[in-house]
Amino acid sequence: MLIKVLGAGAGGGFPQWNCNGPLSRAAWDGNPDVTALTQASVAVSADGERWALLNASPDIRQQIIATPALQPRTDGSLRNSPIRAVVLTGADVDQVAGLLTLRERQPFTIFASRRVLDTLAANSIFNVLAPDCVARLDLPLGEQRWLTDHGQDLGLYVRPFCVPGKIALYLEDKSAGAGFGTRDGDTIGLEVGNRAGMRFYYLPTCAVLSPELAACLEGAPLIFVDGTLFDDDELIRQGLLDKTGQRMGHISMNGPQGSLAAFASLKVSRRVYIHVNNSNPVLDRRSPQRRQVLDAGWEIACDGMEIEL
Ligand code: MLT
Ligand code: MN
């Protein structure tokens, strides 16, 4: 199974278009201590020919340009694409906006929870992906589903499961209390595997490592985990945004409730942070925070990272 990180950044990417904070500034200036990141997405393939994307980021066109395996095959028809499926883990802008780039009557299949499919259905702009061309299939929570595209088996399965998180920002119901109307299926994690028994977990958004989630991940060969923030209040302290990570549905790396502590006792062979925000000091290669994360046995994803299982 081949895994390519197309983008390792959080919503907005790094640098973010309107951000003049110290890290984005370093990226704008070409400082060699930082490397730009597009918005989070991973491509997976069982055979190296047909690919499934985990989320469709707003940067998908740039990601395809950077990834020859996702470009039309020279021996294919006049219009063709190796991208055969898109599996969505939520309906946030950085998870679904790239679907609009995949218009042009190219068949593929979208897999998502009922909640996310309902959001796509309620936004008529997604009808640029004509239903007679782009199938939309429900992923029942907890059930393993083999990915197919218009009857063709892709040799990969996904098993979606509930992850503590939040409804998409633009769907928040401020009158609905602390959860803003969040329901099961708004944020899912994925187990992804193939017929040879290889598997990994993808959790680009996760607010808490619950006991259920820990039990699910125990023994995994590879996990990608929400690496949005280092400290829960870093956006506030940096003057960038008046929100904590918890308010945005993201666990932070540091602190007693953070992912470094929460995941420390999990037996996982390879742990990789993804969806790293432009405020996170680990983006600076010289930072003590990056050293702390690497010393704790984590990797920090970058665009173009490749893993074979
Ligand atoms: C998030 O991960 O919190 C979202 O990407 C926020 C957004 O919609 O940009
Ligand atoms: Mn996001």
Side-chain angles (χ1 to χ4, degrees), residues 1 13 20 40 46 48 56 110 116 139 152 171 196 204 207 243 280 282 285:
M1 186 161 54
N20 198 29
I110 298 169
V116 171
L139 287 178
Q152 260 195 42
L171 295 172
K243 280 185 185 171
N280 191 325
V282 303
R285 263 180 218 96

Side-chain angles (χ1 to χ4, degrees), residues 10-12 92-95 166 168-170 205 228 248-250 275:
D92 261 326
V93 170
D94 62 340
Q95 294 164 322
K166 190 181 68 59
L169 182 60
Y170 59 91
T205 301
T228 309
M248 298 190 302
H250 298 295
H275 192 278

Side-chain angles (χ1 to χ4, degrees), residues 30-42:
N31 182 326
D33 293 321
V34 301
T35 302
L37 301 175
T38 61
Q39 294 166 79
S41 178
V42 163

Side-chain angles (χ1 to χ4, degrees), residues 168-226:
L169 182 60
Y170 59 91
L171 295 172
E172 286 184 1
D173 177 357
K174 303 281 192 299
S175 66
F180 305 104
T182 301
R183 297 220 219 123
D184 283 359
D186 284 330
T187 299
I188 60 171
L190 298 171
E191 177 183 326
V192 184
N194 69 0
R195 291 214 157 71
M198 303 300 168
R199 69 195 167 100
F200 71 97
Y201 291 86
Y202 190 61
L203 301 104
T205 301
C206 173
V208 183
L209 180 65
S210 62
E212 299 77 36
L213 186 53
C216 166
L217 300 179
E218 182 70 22
L222 169 67
I223 57 175
F224 289 94
V225 175
D226 186 335

